[in-house]
């Protein structure tokens, strides 16, 4: 099924199918997993506490299902679980009719929220490494993630540290439309069930063993997969030779690495058990060994020993940066194999009280139930924080793709002039303009909000057959086709809401370099005041000239770009 047909079906489903009060949709890690929080939320939803729900889970394909999803199906064989393949018609049906939607990254870039739908964003960990607009290489993808926070009725954060840094890094200070919930992560609740951890150790014959869980960060972005496999295989082989008889070393590696390593060659090293959820098994470990992963903040709930094996600290962290200096964390830290062996041989020697109070203040054994009770029943089990709202006039700006040219210089100078004023400003950008050169977006300083216009194959919005046919007929000679225009205005109004959900703009200002599709989007948006700066090259295009003629007829301002924009 083509993208255009999918979008036509999705639009039809949103308009004509009723919202199902008993339907829940879950999308975890872009349909590639059923990650910790989502797994425990799914279990809670299917527990029977809230009635008999239909649970839709988005997957990449039906042949290679994530381990957690297989566990859920085995544990609850009679539950109403329906798997919907990513980008299938079934998935868009589920997006259209589900009352409740849960995600730990973002929903589909084409998702349009229906009145009555309830979205829950949990994210997927307390961050050490910088995210969002604080990590320049990811800006082409940041806008889509940001929209998932803006659309959410509930944004769950496990601590104030995470809340503050996510709001700062995604520039959400004036944008959130829903409620912030400060509560424990659903996946961390298992750490408080010490009886279950004891039973698991007995079942796995680990009662008299020292159990270590090794969960390193995936380094595929830094090196080729073949190098990662060789490095891990050599490390594990040397480590296995030095482990004591009562030491059992369980390893959780990225699947691209683990599938290439023959674990049968090791005496004391084993893979995480496939018949247990990761955190369920982790709760039974005596010690966690990791590096830069957020799992360290989760395992801190146990107050057990944590060792950070950071042999490549300088190389790894200089690429992305961190919110706090890793050296400030209380956990044991080593940078070579001998140091790791020495630390594994001794008990916990550090005080993690301050870190526990900072990173785990809300974690508890009922976190999953508390979240679902809040979302479905409206209970007051979670601490609520009301987001602040923007003050003053809210203006949307578009300054082109920020290539090094005179128009970009003028736009950046304009930003310098308005910085610090009482009004609020949001700078829009096309995500596709920054795949190759993301650093250009650093021209927009932290004082301004940022929001991407998400494009797919060069198309803004959910292109349908209806829109494609009418778009081709919009321009007639040197004017706009009035009959087509009336219909397209409604379409563009809905696309504008999709792209800038939750933002109430008082004014739009676009600068030279604005592509034709964005000119149309801004021109037909339901915003009272609009200013279009143009240059000679733009007006040589008869389509642009026709749009600007229409803009003037609607009493919008069309101005020739020059240094006068500095003094608005």
């Amino acid at each position: 099924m083509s993208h255009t047909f999918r979008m036509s079906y999705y639009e039809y489903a949103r308009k004509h199918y009723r919202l199902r009060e008993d339907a829940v949709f879950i999308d975890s890690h872009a349909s590639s997993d059923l990650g910790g929080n989502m797994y425990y939320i799914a279990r809670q939803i299917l527990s029977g506490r809230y009635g008999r729900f239909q649970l839709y889970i988005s997957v990449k394909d039906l042949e290679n299902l994530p381990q957690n999803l297989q566990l859920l199906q085995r544990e609850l064989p009679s539950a109403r679980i329906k798997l919907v393949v990513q980008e299938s018609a079934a998935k868009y049906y589920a997006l259209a009719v589900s009352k409740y939607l849960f995600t730990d990254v973002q929903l589909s870039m084409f998702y349009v929220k229906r009145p009555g739908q309830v979205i829950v964003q949990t994210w997927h960990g307390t961050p050490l490494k910088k995210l969002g607009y604080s990590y320049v290489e990811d800006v082409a993808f940041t806008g889509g993630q940001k929209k998932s926070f803006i659309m959410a009725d509930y944004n769950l954060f496990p601590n104030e540290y995470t809340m503050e840094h996510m709001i700062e890094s995604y520039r959400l200070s004036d944008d959130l439309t829903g409620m912030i919930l400060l509560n424990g992560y659903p996946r961390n609740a298992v750490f408080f069930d010490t009886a279950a951890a004891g039973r698991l150790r007995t079942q796995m014959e680990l009662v008299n063993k020292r159990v270590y869980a090794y969960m390193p960060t995936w380094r595929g972005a830094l090196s080729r997969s073949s190098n990662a496999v060789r490095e891990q295989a050599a490390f594990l082989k040397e480590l296995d030779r030095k482990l004591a008889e009562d030491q059992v070393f369980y390893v959780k590696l990225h699947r691209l690495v683990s599938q290439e390593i023959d674990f049968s060659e090791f005496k004391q090293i084993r893979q995480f058990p496939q018949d247990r959820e990761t955190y369920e098994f982790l709760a039974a470990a005596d010690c966690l060994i990791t590096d830069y992963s957020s799992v360290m903040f989760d395992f801190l709930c146990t107050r057990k020993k944590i060792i950070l094996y950071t042999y490549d600290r300088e190389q790894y962290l200089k690429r992305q940066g961190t919110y706090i200096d890793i050296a400030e964390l209380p956990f044991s830290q080593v940078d070579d194999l001998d140091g790791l062996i020495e630390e594994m041989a001794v008990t916990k020697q550090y005080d993690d009280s301050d870190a526990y109070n900072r990173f785990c203040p809300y974690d508890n054994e009922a976190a999953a139930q508390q979240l679902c009770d809040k979302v479905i029943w409206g209970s007051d089990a979670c601490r609520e924080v009301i987001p602040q709202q923007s003050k003053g006039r809210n203006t949307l700006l578009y300054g082109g793709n920020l290539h090094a040219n005179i128009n970009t210089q003028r736009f950046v100078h304009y930003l310098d002039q308005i910085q610090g004023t009482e009004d609020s400003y949001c700078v829009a950008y096309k995500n596709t303009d920054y795949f190759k050169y993301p650093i250009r977006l650093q021209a927009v300083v932290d004082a301004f909000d940022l929001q991407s216009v998400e494009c797919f194959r060069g198309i803004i919005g959910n292109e349908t057959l209806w829109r494609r046919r009418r778009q081709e007929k919009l321009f007639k000679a040197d004017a706009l086709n009035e009959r087509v225009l009336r219909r397209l205005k409604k379409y563009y109004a809905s696309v504008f809401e999709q792209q800038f959900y939750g933002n109430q703009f008082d004014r739009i200002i676009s600068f030279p370099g604005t592509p034709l599709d964005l000119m149309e989007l801004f021109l037909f948006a339901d915003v009272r005041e609009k200013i279009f700066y143009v240059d000679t090259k733009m007006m040589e295009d008869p389509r642009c000239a026709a749009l600007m003629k229409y803009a003037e007829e609607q009493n919008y301002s069309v101005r020739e770009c020059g240094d006068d924009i500095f003094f608005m």
Side-chain angles (χ1 to χ4, degrees):
M1 180 182 290
S2 72
H3 172 70
T4 302
F5 272 103
R6 277 198 303 271
M7 293 302 98
S8 298
Y9 174 73
Y10 178 45
E11 184 171 308
Y12 179 88
R14 288 183 62 252
K15 289 182 178 179
H16 299 286
Y17 295 150
R18 67 177 178 84
L19 199 62
R20 293 183 51 181
E21 299 285 334
D22 67 338
V24 175
F25 176 85
I26 288 181
D27 194 334
S28 178
H29 291 280
S31 305
S32 66
D33 197 4
L34 186 61
N37 283 333
M38 296 297 107
Y39 172 81
Y40 285 100
I41 288 171
R43 278 182 49 175
Q44 183 65 33
I45 291 290
L46 297 172
S47 67
R49 179 177 175 85
Y50 314 99
R52 188 166 167 78
F53 271 94
Q54 171 69 65
L55 181 61
Y56 295 101
I57 301 177
S58 182
V59 297
K60 283 192 176 296
D61 59 67
L62 298 175
E63 288 71 41
N64 301 289
L65 297 180
Q67 176 190 340
N68 280 2
L69 182 49
Q70 296 179 50
L71 290 174
L72 187 69
Q73 290 178 316
R74 288 199 296 268
E75 182 182 356
L76 302 170
S78 62
R80 297 172 66 195
I81 301 173
K82 182 175 178 60
L83 308 183
V84 292
V85 176
Q86 189 178 36
E87 301 310 315
S88 67
K91 175 177 178 177
Y92 284 100
Y93 169 82
L95 280 171
V97 304
S98 295
K99 165 80 170 183
Y100 303 98
L101 303 98
F102 292 82
T103 182
D104 54 12
V105 179
Q106 69 181 88
L107 298 169
S108 168
M109 67 184 294
F110 309 109
Y111 170 73
V112 181
K113 189 176 182 181
R114 286 179 70 173
Q117 287 189 316
V118 178
I119 301 175
V120 182
Q121 164 66 270
T122 72
W123 199 240
H124 49 271
T126 295
L128 171 67
K129 294 167 289 188
K130 290 186 176 180
L131 300 170
Y133 294 112
S134 298
Y135 178 40
V136 65
E137 291 188 24
D138 260 5
V139 296
F141 309 98
T142 295
Q145 296 167 1
K146 175 176 181 174
K147 286 175 187 174
S148 72
F149 290 105
I150 295 173
M151 285 192 297
D153 297 270
Y154 300 103
N155 282 294
L156 174 67
F157 298 115
N159 48 63
E160 282 83 355
Y161 163 91
T162 302
M163 177 184 71
E164 292 166 2
H165 284 300
M166 296 300 280
I167 289 175
E168 175 188 7
S169 290
Y170 283 90
R171 303 196 187 185
L172 293 165
S173 58
D174 296 327
D175 294 335
L176 294 180
T177 60
M179 185 72 67
I180 292 173
L181 300 181
L182 286 169
N183 202 59
Y185 261 169
R187 69 189 184 199
N188 290 352
V190 71
F191 291 133
F192 296 88
D193 192 347
T194 55
R199 290 194 297 271
L200 191 151
R201 288 179 69 102
T202 300
Q203 293 167 6
M204 297 186 65
E205 300 181 354
L206 297 172
V207 174
N208 296 315
K209 301 290 186 179
R210 288 181 287 169
V211 180
Y212 303 88
Y214 178 49
M215 301 178 69
T217 302
W218 167 236
R219 288 165 171 74
L222 287 180
S223 60
R224 295 178 58 183
S225 298
S226 57
N227 293 336
V229 171
R230 284 195 296 269
E231 290 173 4
Q232 284 292 347
F235 162 71
L236 294 175
K237 183 176 181 180
E238 182 66 14
L239 176 68
D240 188 56
R241 194 172 58 82
K242 297 184 176 184
L243 291 174
E245 288 292 326
D246 67 336
Q247 291 179 313
V248 186
F249 196 86
Y250 282 90
V251 177
K252 180 75 171 179
L253 301 175
H254 190 281
R255 62 176 181 82
L256 293 178
V257 177
S258 61
Q259 68 188 13
E260 298 296 328
I261 295 177
D262 183 2
F263 282 85
S264 66
E265 297 180 352
F266 304 128
K267 182 181 178 182
Q268 303 298 118
I269 297 178
R270 308 169 189 174
Q271 292 193 77
F272 267 47
Q274 296 296 302
D275 61 344
R276 304 284 181 176
E277 195 277 325
T278 298
Y279 273 52
E280 180 186 359
F281 175 73
L282 186 59
D286 297 302
C287 174
L288 169 69
I289 301 169
T290 185
D291 39 32
Y292 321 105
S293 171
S294 65
V295 70
M296 71 175 82
F297 301 113
D298 296 336
F299 193 74
L300 178 59
C301 292
T302 68
R303 308 301 293 270
K304 297 176 184 177
K305 185 170 183 176
I306 298 173
I307 303 173
L308 302 184
Y309 179 45
T310 55
Y311 61 90
D312 59 351
R313 180 187 307 189
E314 182 177 352
Q315 175 196 9
Y316 190 90
L317 295 183
K318 74 177 181 181
R319 176 174 177 264
Q320 189 164 347
T322 59
Y323 290 115
I324 54 175
D325 187 344
I326 195 172
E328 296 178 9
L329 297 172
F331 316 128
S332 302
Q333 300 185 33
V334 297
D335 56 13
D336 58 40
L337 181 56
D338 289 337
L340 177 60
I341 292 294
E342 290 177 8
E343 273 298 331
M344 290 172 62
V346 299
T347 59
K348 175 181 167 185
Q349 304 292 320
Y350 57 83
D351 181 6
D352 57 15
S353 299
D354 289 343
Y356 180 83
N357 293 331
R358 183 181 188 186
F359 299 116
C360 310
Y362 304 104
D363 283 302
N364 67 89
E365 68 279 1
Q369 179 179 310
Q370 290 167 348
L371 176 63
C372 293
D373 283 1
K374 173 63 180 177
V375 172
I376 297 173
W377 288 345
S379 74
D380 57 359
C382 305
R383 180 183 172 188
E384 298 180 358
V385 177
I386 300 175
Q388 70 181 55
Q389 300 298 317
S390 61
K391 299 178 180 179
R393 184 168 55 173
N394 195 14
T395 300
L396 177 66
L397 304 172
Y398 185 81
N401 57 20
L402 303 184
H403 277 300
N405 55 40
I406 185 61
N407 288 328
T408 295
Q409 291 178 24
R410 286 171 170 165
F411 179 63
V412 172
H413 194 170
Y414 175 75
L415 295 181
D416 290 340
Q417 300 301 307
I418 62 175
Q419 184 175 346
T421 61
E422 293 183 358
D423 290 346
S424 298
Y425 294 91
C426 176
V427 177
Y429 66 97
K430 255 185 156 180
N431 64 327
T432 48
D433 286 340
Y434 296 91
F435 285 130
K436 192 171 183 180
Y437 300 109
I439 197 170
R440 292 202 307 262
L441 205 58
Q442 286 190 317
V444 182
V445 298
D446 293 349
F448 298 98
D449 192 8
L450 282 167
Q451 184 59 69
S452 69
V453 177
E454 298 292 295
C455 301
F456 177 78
R457 297 176 183 169
I459 301 166
I460 297 174
N462 297 353
E463 183 183 54
T464 65
L465 293 173
W466 176 90
R467 185 259 180 179
R468 173 180 288 182
R469 291 166 182 162
R470 281 159 179 76
Q471 175 66 21
E472 294 170 353
K473 300 177 181 179
L474 175 61
F475 297 98
K476 183 179 181 180
D478 60 347
L480 300 183
N481 187 321
E482 288 291 338
R483 185 172 61 85
V484 173
L485 178 61
R486 287 194 296 270
R487 302 289 300 275
L488 278 178
K489 285 174 69 174
K490 294 182 179 179
Y491 167 79
Y492 276 115
S494 67
V495 172
F496 190 84
E497 181 182 4
Q498 175 198 12
Q499 296 287 354
F500 300 101
Y501 182 89
N503 284 292
Q504 301 296 322
F505 293 111
D506 303 295
R507 180 173 62 165
I508 297 175
I509 304 177
S510 73
F511 293 79
T514 303
L516 201 65
D517 53 0
L518 281 185
M519 294 281 282
E520 294 174 9
L521 180 64
F522 297 152
L523 181 57
F524 303 136
D526 186 16
V527 176
R528 185 181 69 256
E529 182 182 354
K530 298 170 188 176
I531 301 173
F532 297 95
Y533 281 98
V534 297
D535 58 19
T536 303
K537 183 177 180 181
M538 291 176 65
M539 296 304 287
E540 289 174 354
D541 184 335
R543 296 172 299 174
C544 180
L547 289 172
M548 293 301 96
K549 179 181 178 182
Y550 176 83
E552 290 179 322
E553 292 171 353
Q554 303 303 308
N555 295 318
Y556 300 136
S557 179
V558 179
R559 305 176 185 177
E560 184 177 350
C561 186
D563 292 343
D564 63 304
I565 66 172
F566 302 152
F567 307 105
M568 287 180 56

